[in-house]
Amino acid sequence: MAPATSLLTDHYELTMVEAALAAGTAQRKSVFEVFARRLPEGRRYGLLAGTGRLLEGLADFRFGPEELEFLAERKVVNEQTLNWLADFRFSGTITGYAEGEIYFPGSPLLQVESTFAEACLLETYLLSILNFDTAVASAASRMIAVADGRPCIEMGSRRTHESAAVAAARAAIIAGFTTTSNLEAGRAYGLPTAGTAAHSFTLLHDSEREAFEAQVATLGKGTTLLVDTYDVEQGVRTAVEVAGPELGGVRLDSGDLVDQARWVRELLDSLGNTKTRIVVTSDLDEHAIAALRSAPVDVYGVGTKLVTGSGAPTAGMVYKLVSREGNDGEWKDVAKAATGKASVGGRKSAYRRINERGRATAEVIGIDEAPELGERDRSLIVPLVVDGVVQPGFTGAEGVKAAIARREASIQELPGAAKQMLRGEPVIPTIYVDEN
Amino acid sequence: MAPATSLLTDHYELTMVEAALAAGTAQRKSVFEVFARRLPEGRRYGLLAGTGRLLEGLADFRFGPEELEFLAERKVVNEQTLNWLADFRFSGTITGYAEGEIYFPGSPLLQVESTFAEACLLETYLLSILNFDTAVASAASRMIAVADGRPCIEMGSRRTHESAAVAAARAAIIAGFTTTSNLEAGRAYGLPTAGTAAHSFTLLHDSEREAFEAQVATLGKGTTLLVDTYDVEQGVRTAVEVAGPELGGVRLDSGDLVDQARWVRELLDSLGNTKTRIVVTSDLDEHAIAALRSAPVDVYGVGTKLVTGSGAPTAGMVYKLVSREGNDGEWKDVAKAATGKASVGGRKSAYRRINERGRATAEVIGIDEAPELGERDRSLIVPLVVDGVVQPGFTGAEGVKAAIARREASIQELPGAAKQMLRGEPVIPTIYVDEN
């Protein structure tokens, strides 16, 4: 059995359940929604990721003996609540945007419908996953846009929490990265992994030549040799001498990459290595990748900036109660009025308005009633969990594949401005339609 | 048995082992060091965290049947390497700064001495943990400095990866936060947890008054009531009516907190609630906390900015081979020359120079030979793992307690400028002493 995910949550989710159980309000049917009030500053769109992961962990969101013992010992909640938690398994319904979908401010990314107690409990867990994975996917998507067809490798594991690294690799692949360096991501999600050698491998050996010979002897001539440990020009020459014309690639990890890529390309060509690829990997982000557009670079390896969301390390999503039953059994829309954080009550529907050229023109959000869709418009909300049962197709390797396909189609629909690095407003407006 | 941590690594660590095994260089004794080339821009010092966590996971850094099957199936490495991995357990020695210690550019935070193959394998895993945990602890430490004795609660779980959230809570407590909202952090490390209610709890009920009554009935009059769901003034008045003079606290989560804290304090006092505390929780970081210094705030709740390192989400530590044996059995210092990323070869020692007033004046790093310590100087490197055996005192709840004590003492030593929010150079210089 996988470790329980139920304590990956905030203390107050449980005290709220306790108080609601005592007050007789815990069983009120409720709808919570996940959305982002805004995109990170200057970003034109967001890319949703994490949905598959949160569905994978939902079955393990249970309170077993170890979790209950901790809660009892610490007096986090009382006896009545402990009994309720012991029986807890999520029995409600979750709908939302499919993983890999593009989103905008206000998009109802997840809708959790259940009793207040059940839906309340999931808040922190759902937000943790969506906020991190989406931050990485959204940053990754900008990098992919400016890489303009050149492959990108995710290699940021060492720059973020060891488990977050696995999620980051998964999110990057969903956004369009071709491979990851993270082995656990490869194992858990069937993702392609790649890697060759670091500077330490060169330093281990008595000369750069011996190191290259050792690497080529084991990994083959098609491997990529890291040529900047000592002197780049000498490194390139030695690499070609050792591996010959079949040398797969050389990697540049320091210095002025634009300038270096140019003369290294010329040098490789002059040595007859016209097919040897140039891989660059030094502190890249979307701006550095854009600056390298004109340089003869074949592959980008991206680390730090990718796994930290390139300036936006969290997606800023929130989880808000938007509607709930009263004692009379009537549904009541609810919203808070807090300054700068007001929410919009009522259960949302959402579609993307698509014009005759197949381009998205607006994110249309209906409140309480679903607005009528035009012929080309695309409904955005799909069932993810129905009466406690996770729907097929969203989890594991299959889920990642589906998310990649969804992302490809959704990016295709976006106006061209989405691919530009210019900071600006969301590339399409969010329009609220209130049928009431 | 805990899940293996061995695949939380980069593909290239394994291909390097494979190539070194084939070349006969895998068994060369090697020393790798972890250090940060620089602090995040403008920061005056860093606070090391994560050491306990990496030691906890070291025993599970093994390759069991599942891991080996994945590596074989994907042909990540060959048969010889799989056999070597099957037998792998780290048998070397790790020394380094104690968790909770202050550090500066170049401080040798971890030194891993073993065969190249053993030490190489750990790179990604060690860096992931130290880079994340230290980023959070360093940001947290600045917040604690400006909070100036007022308690800070960690509540950022929902803004970072669900497992990273646990590590972030632990790092925040090491840095001086008093409590966390994260229950798993409470369970795993014996940390104090806290929490009361969110806006959804108020919205669930038919009126703010009913919600407050439900909360007070269960959590007692000493609880903290969230008063900004509708109207803050009315919220405060209702809270006092419901809980009376014993009301523990009111929480403000939106709007102009400086202004609000002032008039809410006056209002509470005028109602006789002079002991009711004011808790503020809206997007706080060290700058917002500094701005609230003059306001009558009792407790800060910090989320997003804490768990994302307040602008520096990763500590930028690297893992470099600094010395290794040759075929002749002689140790050889090694360093790469890559532009802007040059490293300093040779095994380091480190001490903090302390003046007659007990204040730190320099981070002194010796190369190959330990420089002589002055009377008050403090040696910084301690044994963490000896011949594969994790030394006692660094892991679990005990490790966190020791790290808190270490941090308190080390912060105490820093020049006063460390506590200022002004951006600047590291508060003491790093001095290299080369005995050769």
Side-chain angles (χ1 to χ4, degrees):
Chain A
M1 201 184 122
T5 54
S6 59
L7 292 185
L8 298 172
T9 195
D10 286 325
H11 188 119
Y12 83 174
E13 311 292 4
L14 273 69
T15 48
M16 282 193 274
V17 168
E18 171 170 316
L21 283 171
T25 48
Q27 300 304 319
R28 287 184 173 189
K29 289 273 177 204
S30 298
V31 179
F32 282 83
E33 288 182 346
V34 171
F35 61 93
R37 289 199 180 91
R38 60 195 77 83
L39 299 177
E41 212 189 320
R43 296 273 181 94
R44 316 299 296 263
Y45 66 90
L47 175 59
L48 178 67
T51 321
R53 287 213 308 120
L54 73 86
L55 295 174
E56 286 160 19
L58 201 56
D60 303 313
F61 202 98
R62 304 289 298 269
F63 295 85
E66 204 185 342
E67 289 76 34
L68 293 169
E69 192 190 318
F70 162 72
L71 296 172
E73 232 173 51
R74 287 291 196 88
K75 301 192 195 332
V76 174
V77 288
N78 63 14
E79 194 70 25
Q80 182 195 12
T81 311
L82 289 172
N83 291 335
W84 186 88
L85 292 174
D87 292 335
F88 172 80
R89 60 174 278 283
F90 182 73
S91 69
T93 289
I94 303 180
T95 56
Y97 281 35
E99 187 162 15
E101 186 58 88
I102 297 303
Y103 75 91
F104 298 95
S107 298
L109 299 172
L110 217 62
Q111 302 175 309
V112 180
E113 179 168 355
S114 189
T115 62
F116 174 81
E118 283 201 1
C120 170
L121 265 194
L122 298 183
E123 175 177 26
T124 308
Y125 173 71
L126 300 183
L127 286 177
S128 288
I129 294 179
L130 292 179
N131 271 325
F132 179 75
D133 293 23
T134 298
V136 174
S138 297
S141 183
R142 276 159 63 86
M143 295 169 183
I144 293 297
V146 291
D148 209 17
R150 292 174 180 172
C152 294
I153 304 175
E154 186 283 312
M155 37 185 279
S157 294
R158 67 191 58 194
R159 303 291 186 222
T160 187
H161 181 279
E162 70 278 16
S163 296
V166 181
R170 181 183 176 281
I173 298 273
I174 287 174
F177 274 62
T178 50
T179 46
T180 171
S181 65
N182 190 286
L183 288 175
E184 177 58 19
R187 194 196 61 77
Y189 296 103
L191 310 181
T193 65
T196 51
H199 294 101
S200 62
F201 188 79
T202 299
L203 297 172
L204 169 67
H205 291 87
D206 295 331
S207 69
E208 191 173 49
R209 180 178 302 268
E210 281 180 34
F212 288 176
E213 283 168 351
Q215 187 177 331
V216 168
T218 297
L219 302 179
K221 292 177 177 172
T223 193
T224 296
L225 294 169
L226 178 56
V227 293
D228 72 339
T229 303
Y230 303 110
D231 175 81
V232 177
E233 184 183 339
Q234 190 53 56
V236 172
R237 290 184 185 278
T238 305
V240 170
E241 283 165 28
V242 168
E246 293 160 57
L247 173 62
V250 294
R251 178 156 79 94
L252 304 172
D253 183 52
S254 55
D256 177 345
L257 296 175
V258 174
D259 181 54
Q260 266 188 82
R262 289 206 176 110
W263 67 255
V264 167
R265 180 75 270 158
E266 283 173 22
L267 176 59
L268 283 169
D269 290 349
S270 76
L271 296 169
N273 279 47
T274 53
K275 295 206 167 143
T276 298
R277 301 194 300 172
I278 296 179
V279 182
V280 297
T281 57
S282 184
D283 281 335
L284 299 183
D285 63 6
E286 58 271 47
H287 307 288
I289 293 171
L292 283 160
R293 268 182 162 161
S294 65
V297 168
D298 299 287
V299 180
Y300 301 106
V302 191
T304 308
K305 289 297 177 65
L306 175 66
V307 300
T308 59
S310 200
T314 183
M317 292 179 198
V318 294
Y319 187 80
K320 295 295 163 194
L321 181 65
V322 295
S323 196
R324 51 95 184 151
E325 275 184 346
N327 277 344
D328 50 7
E330 289 286 300
W331 283 89
K332 185 173 187 304
D333 292 349
V334 295
K336 67 173 177 171
T339 318
K341 292 185 174 179
S343 52
V344 178
R347 186 188 190 119
K348 316 296 184 303
S349 59
Y351 69 87
R352 193 151 296 153
R353 190 175 288 160
I354 308 290
N355 70 13
E356 63 284 356
R357 293 186 308 282
R359 290 295 170 117
T361 62
E363 188 83 340
V364 183
I365 298 176
I367 299 172
D368 285 323
E369 300 288 326
E372 215 168 294
L373 270 63
E375 193 187 335
R376 296 176 208 83
D377 297 345
R378 190 160 64 79
S379 183
L380 293 165
I381 292 177
V382 297
L384 300 166
V385 177
V386 177
D387 297 336
V389 179
V390 174
Q391 300 301 288
F394 298 110
T395 58
E398 184 189 21
V400 172
K401 277 195 190 127
I404 291 171
R406 177 70 268 151
R407 180 262 308 161
E408 282 174 352
S410 294
I411 290 273
Q412 198 67 33
E413 270 171 12
L414 291 185
K419 287 205 171 193
Q420 294 166 6
M421 289 298 304
L422 293 172
R423 298 163 72 85
E425 296 295 304
V427 77
I428 59 173
T430 301
I431 299 170
Y432 286 89
V433 180
D434 193 340
E435 302 281 303
N436 296 334
Chain B
M1 200 184 123
T5 54
S6 59
L7 292 186
L8 299 171
T9 194
D10 286 324
H11 188 118
Y12 83 174
E13 312 292 4
L14 274 70
T15 49
M16 281 193 274
V17 168
E18 171 170 315
L21 283 172
T25 48
Q27 300 304 320
R28 288 185 172 188
K29 290 273 177 205
S30 299
V31 179
F32 282 83
E33 287 181 349
V34 171
F35 61 93
R37 289 200 180 87
R38 61 195 75 83
L39 299 176
E41 212 189 320
R43 296 274 181 93
R44 316 299 298 263
Y45 66 91
L47 175 58
L48 178 68
T51 321
R53 288 213 308 119
L54 71 86
L55 296 175
E56 287 160 18
L58 201 58
D60 303 314
F61 201 98
R62 304 289 297 268
F63 295 84
E66 204 185 343
E67 289 77 34
L68 293 169
E69 192 189 317
F70 162 72
L71 296 173
E73 232 174 51
R74 288 292 195 88
K75 301 192 196 330
V76 173
V77 287
N78 63 15
E79 194 71 23
Q80 183 196 11
T81 312
L82 289 172
N83 290 336
W84 186 87
L85 293 173
D87 291 335
F88 172 81
R89 59 175 278 284
F90 182 73
S91 68
T93 288
I94 303 180
T95 56
Y97 282 35
E99 187 160 16
E101 185 58 88
I102 298 302
Y103 74 91
F104 297 94
S107 298
L109 299 170
L110 218 61
Q111 303 174 307
V112 180
E113 178 168 357
S114 189
T115 62
F116 174 81
E118 282 200 2
C120 171
L121 265 193
L122 298 184
E123 175 178 25
T124 308
Y125 173 71
L126 301 183
L127 286 177
S128 288
I129 294 178
L130 292 179
N131 271 324
F132 179 75
D133 293 23
T134 298
V136 174
S138 297
S141 182
R142 276 158 65 84
M143 296 170 183
I144 293 298
V146 292
D148 209 16
R150 291 174 180 172
C152 294
I153 305 175
E154 187 283 311
M155 38 184 279
S157 292
R158 66 191 57 193
R159 302 292 186 221
T160 188
H161 180 279
E162 71 278 16
S163 297
V166 181
R170 181 183 175 281
I173 299 273
I174 287 174
F177 275 61
T178 50
T179 47
T180 171
S181 64
N182 190 286
L183 288 174
E184 177 58 20
R187 193 196 62 75
Y189 296 102
L191 310 181
T193 65
T196 50
H199 294 101
S200 63
F201 187 79
T202 300
L203 297 172
L204 169 69
H205 291 87
D206 296 330
S207 69
E208 191 172 50
R209 181 178 300 269
E210 282 180 32
F212 289 175
E213 284 169 352
Q215 185 177 331
V216 168
T218 297
L219 302 180
K221 290 177 179 172
T223 194
T224 296
L225 294 168
L226 177 57
V227 294
D228 72 340
T229 303
Y230 305 111
D231 175 82
V232 177
E233 183 183 339
Q234 191 52 57
V236 172
R237 288 184 185 279
T238 306
V240 170
E241 284 167 27
V242 168
E246 294 160 58
L247 174 61
V250 295
R251 177 156 78 95
L252 304 172
D253 183 52
S254 54
D256 177 344
L257 296 175
V258 175
D259 181 56
Q260 267 187 81
R262 289 207 177 109
W263 67 254
V264 167
R265 180 75 269 158
E266 283 173 22
L267 178 58
L268 284 168
D269 290 349
S270 76
L271 296 170
N273 279 48
T274 52
K275 297 207 165 142
T276 298
R277 301 193 301 172
I278 296 179
V279 182
V280 298
T281 57
S282 185
D283 281 335
L284 298 184
D285 63 7
E286 58 270 48
H287 307 288
I289 293 171
L292 283 160
R293 268 182 162 161
S294 65
V297 169
D298 300 285
V299 180
Y300 301 106
V302 191
T304 307
K305 289 296 176 66
L306 175 65
V307 300
T308 59
S310 200
T314 183
M317 291 178 198
V318 293
Y319 187 80
K320 296 295 164 195
L321 181 64
V322 296
S323 196
R324 49 97 184 148
E325 274 184 345
N327 277 345
D328 51 7
E330 290 286 300
W331 282 90
K332 185 175 185 306
D333 292 350
V334 295
K336 64 173 179 173
T339 319
K341 291 185 175 181
S343 52
V344 179
R347 187 188 189 119
K348 316 298 184 304
S349 59
Y351 69 87
R352 193 152 295 152
R353 190 175 288 160
I354 307 289
N355 70 13
E356 63 285 356
R357 293 187 308 282
R359 291 295 169 117
T361 61
E363 188 84 339
V364 183
I365 299 176
I367 300 172
D368 286 321
E369 298 289 326
E372 215 168 294
L373 270 65
E375 191 187 336
R376 296 176 208 85
D377 298 344
R378 189 160 65 79
S379 182
L380 293 165
I381 293 178
V382 298
L384 300 166
V385 177
V386 177
D387 298 334
V389 179
V390 174
Q391 300 301 289
F394 298 110
T395 59
E398 184 190 19
V400 172
K401 276 195 192 126
I404 291 170
R406 177 70 268 153
R407 180 263 307 161
E408 282 173 352
S410 294
I411 290 272
Q412 200 66 33
E413 272 171 9
L414 292 185
K419 287 204 169 191
Q420 293 166 6
M421 290 297 303
L422 292 173
R423 298 162 72 84
E425 297 295 305
V427 77
I428 59 173
T430 300
I431 299 170
Y432 286 89
V433 180
D434 193 339
E435 301 283 302
N436 297 333

